[in-house]
Amino acid sequence: MSYQAEYSKSIETPELFWGEKAQDLAWFKQPEKILSQDANGIHRWFADGEMNTSYLALDYHVENGLADNDAIIYDSPVTGTKRKITYRELRDDVAKFAGVLKAQGVEKGDRVVVYMPMVPEALVAMLAVARLGAIHSVVFGGFAPHELAVRIDDAEPKVIVSASCGIEISKVIEYKPMLDQAIEKSAHKPDACVILQRPQAEASMVDGRDIDWTEAMATAESAEPVPVKGTDPLYILYTSGTTGKPKGVVRDNGGHAVAMKYSMKSIYNVKPGDVFWAASDVGWVVGHSYIVYGPLLAGCTTIVYEGKPVRTPDAGAFWRVCEEYKAKVLFSAPTAFRAIKKEDPEGKLLENYDLSNLDTIFMAGERLDPPTYHWTMEVTGKPVIDHWWQTETGWAICGNMTGIETLEPKAGSATVPVTGFNVQILDPEGNELPAGEQGAIAIKLPMPPSCLPTVWGDFERFRTGYLTDFPGYYCSGDGGYKDEDGYVFIMGRTDDVINVAGHRLSTGEMEEIVAGHNAVAECAVIGVNDALKGQQPIGFVLLKDGIEISDEDLEAELVALVRKEIGAVACFKKAVVVDRLPKTRSGKILRKLMRQIADGQDYSVPSTIDDPTSLSVMEDVMGRIGLISK
Ligand code: COA
Ligand code: AMP
């Protein structure tokens, strides 16, 4: 079938289309209601189907001939460990860990927070939660206690699963003290914490609350998969919005499983037994979908890599892993390839490795800039595919569906809408724009399976944040255009969300933290272009009157504050004191204008500006700190 035929069918007859795709899964009870609406009027998929995601990802394969295939290959250059886990072994571990959680009272619908590094036990924990019909919420290990505490208060977990430490190249990051601080800060307290002790750091345990992973597993009774409805939540994954409070994106079991299984074939073109490597982290949506659920639902082998693209030990790390495990697909963020390019610009290290099993390299998480696209293709000789997606959808909205028909790629474009996504470019009034014109990227409802039905505990935030700007559409928060051939070009966020090294962060949240410093009267944090990480945040601060502090000391304090509150991953390294910020007459800071100045783009001065000279002040400041050449 051609892409166009498959796509048209998915848009014109979505129920028929997804009803057929749903038959690829071994439901306990096949859904009869394919598409319906919930009490909030939101489209839901497979509401009356019954299934269990963990069963489909594990037991089903064990029962159908893949028991001795590798489910996980764990490769950890930072600890010098390599380990293979078969589907049978993983199913048994997951069933036992589900027993550990069950013994702590975890039941269907309960939440379990997982705060872990890139070790197989992170996947075991997620799948065990899913096995019980409970809801996991994985928190990225690079987040600081404050961020973890906010998520604990929102998700209200019965149990938290964590580890004594993670390892960042050679630095041991102790997770347990951060977990203890987070629980101290949060109003909600979990009943129990299960801690994986790693040899690199020993966690001190809290009597009566903390349970040792290994000890608990030694005596646990295996738990069976609990049937859930298609619309019961599988997980909550918090992502940055425009304010300090992260949004808990809710993912259904049924739609997610159908979309994951379908995408493995249609987008990534893999089949059971293939080795699939998403070089990301389980803390991000890419990790959820394509380290854990996608590959396992499809019967593939997934690689859990605890390392970096560079410095573990060198810029040949990705090629080494691809060769060693015969990876068919490599998926990572453009920033990873920019990091490799920086250290090995001519791709010399590739000469040491045989990449003949690697079919395709996929990239997502941030815009794939044409130089990185061309470089990666040239040095590897492999097709490189950009695809655009969001935590909210859980899978690609635009891409090149290599399992259906590989279209001619265009540098700078995420190719075409993926089946089920009716992608439109809208003007501010909600009119669909013609080819070549830039606007807001929106998806006409209904969205296909896997997309969020709500924000955890806050439907109103979902409605106002995504559905009210353009009635009848989901507003993505990204801007861009389509060309004459229908190819979609994603040009960046239209809100205060930035992407730093493929990590989604909120400048609004950073502003709240910076503004909390007692010397700061007002501030603006903007994301500026960065050759390696895509974007970097920079703070511009106005001091309160009468404050005596040197610019250097203030910058150091603000950098430390953001690092403490959000975590090292925020990469907030620069704060500059200014005596004016460009504002409208009503007092709104003109952040977009500041971004345009910083990135050397043309800009027009809005008629609502309060003081036009503030722009030349801003240009001077940005020139002084080397952001722009004056
Ligand atoms: N736990 C604890 N700390 C973490 C962490 C984790 N899981 N992940 C990152 N950090 C820390 C880093 O150690 C670093 O700390 P430092 O300021 O003390 O050096 C800081 O957060 C910033 O990390 P990062 O932006 O990743 O920078 P880096 O220099 O360590 O690595 C890259 C740069 C490009 C190699 C790295 O970002 C990378 O591999 N990116 C791939 C993109 C990716 O996985 N995206 C996910 C979505 S697909
Ligand atoms: P996340 O929810 O962390 O996956 O981040 C989603 C955001 O990352 C999107 O809204 C985009 O701004 C950006 N993004 C992800 N993939 C791409 C891509 N292929 N091209 C451009 N931007 C992307």
Side-chain angles (χ1 to χ4, degrees):
M1 196 185 248
S2 69
Y3 156 75
Q4 196 50 56
E6 177 103 344
Y7 180 73
S8 300
K9 185 174 171 190
S10 75
I11 300 300
E12 283 156 20
T13 52
E15 280 200 83
L16 180 70
F17 184 87
W18 292 112
E20 279 172 17
K21 304 302 171 209
Q23 286 171 17
D24 283 350
L25 294 181
W27 298 79
F28 298 143
K29 180 176 163 285
Q30 282 282 340
E32 282 167 18
K33 267 196 226 170
I34 302 301
L35 181 62
S36 52
Q37 290 198 351
D38 64 16
N40 293 320
I42 300 301
H43 292 103
R44 306 296 292 265
W45 293 96
F46 317 119
D48 63 350
E50 283 180 22
M51 42 94 65
N52 181 283
T53 299
S54 181
Y55 168 83
L56 294 172
L58 301 171
D59 308 57
Y60 173 78
H61 300 308
V62 173
E63 292 161 10
N64 287 278
L66 297 185
D68 297 318
N69 273 29
D70 290 329
I72 294 178
I73 294 173
Y74 169 52
D75 185 294
S76 168
V78 297
T79 60
T81 316
K82 294 176 184 178
R83 185 149 69 98
K84 292 183 175 179
I85 303 166
T86 65
Y87 268 95
R88 183 185 286 108
E89 289 164 343
L90 185 59
R91 192 269 320 261
D92 291 349
D93 280 354
V94 167
K96 252 202 236 165
F97 195 66
V100 170
L101 295 174
K102 196 173 170 182
Q104 296 308 314
V106 175
E107 291 175 2
K108 183 170 162 178
D110 287 339
R111 273 80 58 210
V112 175
V113 161
V114 177
Y115 182 58
M116 294 193 88
M118 278 293 288
V119 290
E121 288 82 356
L123 282 71
V124 170
M126 293 163 77
L127 290 157
V129 174
R131 194 172 188 84
L132 296 174
I135 304 166
H136 59 69
S137 187
V138 181
V139 179
F140 176 60
F143 280 128
H146 165 76
E147 290 291 316
L148 180 55
V150 169
R151 286 156 175 79
I152 292 172
D153 273 335
D154 200 71
E156 301 182 314
K158 203 171 239 181
V159 173
I160 299 181
V161 184
S162 189
S164 57
C165 66
I167 298 131
E168 283 291 296
I169 307 184
S170 55
K171 235 181 340 178
V172 174
I173 313 275
E174 293 205 30
Y175 278 36
K176 184 59 179 16
M178 292 198 274
L179 172 65
D180 290 340
Q181 281 174 43
I183 295 175
E184 210 176 295
K185 273 174 165 243
S186 61
H188 173 85
K189 311 289 175 195
D191 294 348
C193 296
V194 186
I195 308 296
L196 177 74
Q197 293 282 12
R198 304 188 76 193
Q200 294 76 15
E202 195 180 326
S204 64
M205 306 288 267
V206 174
D207 268 353
R209 187 196 74 188
D210 295 348
I211 297 163
D212 180 275
W213 174 295
T214 314
E215 284 171 18
M217 284 289 268
T219 54
E221 267 183 46
S222 298
E224 290 299 311
V226 173
V228 296
K229 293 274 188 236
T231 44
D232 282 336
L234 169 68
Y235 69 76
I236 306 165
L237 180 57
Y238 288 88
T239 190
S240 300
T242 47
T243 67
K245 190 170 186 279
K247 294 187 272 204
V249 168
V250 173
R251 185 88 58 229
D252 285 357
N253 272 279
H256 172 254
V258 171
M260 287 297 102
K261 179 109 194 256
Y262 170 72
S263 70
M264 291 302 287
K265 173 74 189 84
S266 65
I267 297 179
Y268 303 103
N269 197 24
V270 289
K271 55 181 190 323
D274 286 340
V275 179
F276 189 94
W277 182 24
S280 177
D281 188 288
V282 287
W284 306 111
V285 68
V286 172
H288 281 60
S289 294
Y290 295 113
I291 294 173
V292 189
Y293 291 109
L296 296 180
L297 285 163
C300 293
T301 300
T302 183
I303 298 178
V304 173
Y305 175 68
E306 191 180 23
K308 300 263 173 185
V310 292
R311 290 177 287 155
T312 54
D314 59 28
F318 272 20
W319 321 133
R320 195 264 303 163
V321 173
C322 285
E323 177 194 80
E324 195 164 335
Y325 306 115
K326 299 187 168 43
K328 187 169 175 194
V329 165
L330 165 61
F331 173 178
S332 196
T335 191
F337 296 90
R338 287 196 295 269
I340 296 171
K341 180 180 167 196
K342 190 163 170 237
E343 301 210 353
D344 182 20
E346 284 159 32
K348 284 208 174 329
L349 290 166
L350 273 151
E351 290 164 15
N352 305 334
Y353 302 100
D354 169 10
L355 295 191
S356 54
N357 289 289
L358 183 66
D359 269 10
T360 315
I361 298 173
F362 286 87
M363 298 202 203
E366 55 176 327
R367 181 162 185 269
L368 172 54
D369 52 297
T372 307
Y373 168 73
H374 289 300
W375 180 83
T376 312
M377 270 203 312
E378 274 157 30
V379 297
T380 62
K382 303 289 173 186
V384 171
I385 293 189
D386 180 17
H387 57 333
W388 168 59
W389 51 301
Q390 307 187 313
T391 305
E392 287 83 345
T393 61
W395 65 305
I397 310 164
C398 288
N400 202 338
M401 304 191 74
T402 65
I404 297 174
E405 179 192 357
T406 306
L407 302 178
E408 193 58 40
K410 295 188 189 186
S413 168
T415 324
V416 292
V418 161
T419 35
F421 287 99
N422 187 345
V423 177
Q424 299 297 338
I425 312 294
L426 304 181
D427 71 12
E429 279 71 49
N431 304 306
E432 292 181 6
L433 285 167
E437 284 194 35
Q438 201 161 317
I441 310 181
I443 302 164
K444 200 165 187 177
L445 303 176
M447 304 250 273
S450 166
C451 300
L452 82 171
T454 188
V455 166
W456 180 255
D458 198 349
F459 176 72
E460 205 38 33
R461 192 165 181 206
F462 173 59
R463 203 180 60 77
T464 53
Y466 297 97
L467 303 177
T468 46
D469 281 5
F470 306 113
Y473 295 84
Y474 161 91
C475 177
S476 72
D478 280 295
Y481 66 94
K482 280 190 199 173
D483 72 4
E484 295 290 345
D485 301 322
Y487 279 53
V488 182
F489 291 73
I490 315 295
M491 303 310 289
R493 299 286 306 192
T494 53
D495 55 16
D496 295 327
V497 168
I498 58 171
N499 255 283
V500 181
H503 305 142
R504 177 166 160 181
L505 299 162
S506 159
T507 53
E509 176 172 20
M510 293 184 209
E511 284 181 6
E512 284 175 27
I513 293 166
V514 170
H517 188 285
N518 59 14
V520 174
E522 204 174 2
C523 73
V525 175
I526 59 166
V528 299
N529 286 340
D530 181 80
L532 176 64
K533 298 196 176 184
Q535 284 185 299
Q536 288 268 31
I538 296 194
F540 295 88
V541 297
L542 281 174
L543 293 186
K544 285 180 187 159
D545 287 343
I547 290 284
E548 293 283 330
I549 184 167
S550 74
D551 289 4
E552 293 72 29
D553 285 351
L554 179 66
E555 180 175 57
E557 285 178 25
L558 293 176
V559 167
L561 194 61
V562 175
R563 195 178 167 96
K564 177 172 157 281
E565 293 290 301
I566 299 181
V569 72
C571 284
F572 182 85
K573 301 222 162 106
K574 199 141 201 65
V576 193
V577 176
V578 292
D579 54 18
R580 246 177 302 170
L581 286 167
K583 285 184 183 176
T584 61
R585 278 190 288 276
S586 60
K588 200 168 167 284
I589 300 173
L590 292 161
R591 294 179 178 80
K592 185 170 166 206
L593 206 60
M594 290 173 65
R595 273 200 309 269
Q596 287 170 321
I597 298 173
D599 293 341
Q601 292 172 10
D602 292 339
Y603 61 86
S604 47
V605 181
S607 57
T608 52
I609 196 162
D610 181 37
D611 170 12
T613 63
S614 61
L615 292 181
S616 46
V617 170
M618 196 39 70
E619 280 180 355
D620 280 347
V621 170
M622 289 183 180
R624 179 160 52 78
I625 61 172
L627 213 51
I628 49 170
S629 45
K630 284 197 289 176

